[in-house]
Amino acid sequence: KAGVTQTPRYLIKTRGQQVTLSCSPISGHRSVSWYQQTPGQGLQFLFEYFSETQRNKGNFPGRFSGRQFSNSRSEMNVSTLELGDSALYLCASSLQGAPGANVLTFGAGSRLTVL
Amino acid sequence: DQQVKQNSPSLSVQEGRISILNCDYTNSMFDYFLWYKKYPAEGPTFLISISSIKDKNEDGRFTVFLNKSAKHLSLHIVPSQPGDSAVYFCAATGVGGATNKLIFGTGTLLAVQP
């Protein structure tokens, strides 16, 4: 079956612009999470959506937002881009199962460069 | 404050030998731990997990050990293969793993030399 698909894979923006990233989860997966990966910081949790509702949020400023559609596809938006937003943005999907069963399947990521 | 720490940025081992990757955590509320592997230009892939009610979990060549009193876990790969060369992330969460808010370490780059 198809994996988690993220678009675009690479993009370059300038400071002050905004960006929207898209994620299509594995068919049947209802939970979508977003992570930011930067050198030296590992993966940092941004937010999680389940059934179109934000279920969890990480410690990121309000410039970072997201949403989930009825077909479980998700988008995240970053407004007023800063140089420090340059990162690999990873989307992950999972089934909603028993505790311990929520193994995340990650997409390949969207590499954002802010100039 | 880094709640999950991987203090070795890199590790090099010979093919066929054991690779040991270490991870420390500070939050005593964590009760579910995972290891992910990441190749360049790909997303992380799940390797193995362990609940805090266990101290060991094994899956083929991969074994994870958990020492709750020391707040330490380790991943053993035996025998190591060149295809294991990747960045390994440990991650932790609470609520028995029933959440997708994982706290990741900064990763360890494993290089397995032929």
Side-chain angles (χ1 to χ4, degrees), chain A residues 9 31 33 35 37 40-43 45 48 55-58 88 90 94 99-104 106-108, chain B residues 2 32 34 36 38 41-46 49 87 89 95-107:
Chain A
R9 289 293 310 276
S31 171
S33 304
Y35 286 80
Q37 184 187 3
Q41 291 293 317
L43 281 74
F45 175 79
E48 177 196 1
R55 191 161 66 172
N56 249 316
K57 191 176 190 306
L88 180 67
L90 292 159
S94 71
N102 284 339
V103 172
L104 299 182
F106 283 87
Chain B
Q2 198 77 21
Y32 195 73
L34 309 92
Y36 279 81
K38 186 179 185 301
E42 295 182 14
T45 54
F46 170 75
S49 63
V87 178
F89 292 97
V95 201
T99 171
N100 291 328
K101 182 177 181 178
L102 300 182
I103 308 300
F104 281 86
T106 52

Side-chain angles (χ1 to χ4, degrees), chain B residues 65-98:
Chain B
F65 295 91
L66 175 62
N67 182 333
K68 290 185 290 293
S69 60
K71 294 190 175 67
H72 176 84
L73 64 155
S74 60
L75 174 68
H76 294 210
I77 307 173
V78 184
S80 300
Q81 300 173 353
D84 296 329
S85 298
V87 178
Y88 288 78
F89 292 97
C90 70
T93 186
V95 201

